[in-house]
Amino acid sequence: LDLSSNILRDVTLNLQNSRLHTLFLARNKIHTLGDEFLAFAKSLRYLDLSYNKLGTINQSTFLTENYLEVLLLKGNPFICTCEIGSFIRWIYSNDVAIPRLATDVNCASPPNQHGNSIINIDLHACEMDTLAAAIFFK
């Protein structure tokens, strides 16, 4: 199903019991993906989300049971703060190919991360910041 270049802002598809294997959503204006967006997409193998307005992707969008084989994300203005950490952990824990992840799936902000790959975020520093805040406010 090709829904590319349709100026879509939101995507609310019910893919339960769907036999959809390929979904093209490239070159739209999608800002966010809802929780459990792909929860029932057991047939979906290829998802193109390139060149949208995604700043972050929540881990709950994809859940833990992954059926995707290829996920395209190039050209999104990712916000590379600690909030993107759950998605990065999802990337590492799933066997999904993300073409050009290290070179073309980049941070748009904050300024000190601009142009860096999203996988270069220091997750350990994020965990330490969270731990320090928990101890400080305890």
Side-chain angles (χ1 to χ4, degrees), residues 8-125:
L8 299 175
R9 294 183 185 280
D10 298 307
V11 181
T12 54
L13 295 174
N14 182 347
L15 299 175
Q16 188 170 8
N17 300 320
S18 169
R19 291 196 171 120
L20 188 65
H21 289 240
T22 303
L23 180 57
F24 294 95
L25 292 170
R27 298 187 188 282
N28 281 292
K29 296 186 181 294
I30 300 168
H31 289 263
T32 59
L33 299 172
D35 289 344
E36 301 182 0
F37 172 66
L38 297 176
F40 302 107
K42 294 184 178 182
S43 295
L44 191 64
R45 299 293 181 258
Y46 185 99
L47 176 60
D48 186 350
L49 290 167
S50 57
Y51 298 101
N52 275 286
K53 303 292 182 190
L54 293 169
T56 190
I57 298 177
N58 296 325
Q59 180 181 0
S60 61
T61 298
F62 295 100
L63 298 178
T64 54
E65 192 172 18
N66 175 51
Y67 298 94
L68 276 178
E69 295 172 3
V70 179
L71 174 62
L72 284 82
L73 294 170
K74 179 181 179 178
N76 283 287
F78 286 105
I79 301 166
C80 294
T81 60
C82 292
E83 284 77 31
I84 203 168
S86 64
F87 179 60
I88 295 168
R89 285 193 261 319
W90 180 87
I91 290 171
Y92 287 133
S93 64
N94 284 279
D95 189 24
V96 61
I98 302 176
R100 307 193 57 83
L101 174 62
T103 57
D104 290 343
V105 182
N106 297 327
C107 306
S109 63
N112 67 329
Q113 294 293 334
H114 182 78
N116 293 335
S117 172
I118 65 168
I119 59 170
N120 289 336
I121 298 297
D122 187 351
L123 296 179
H124 180 70

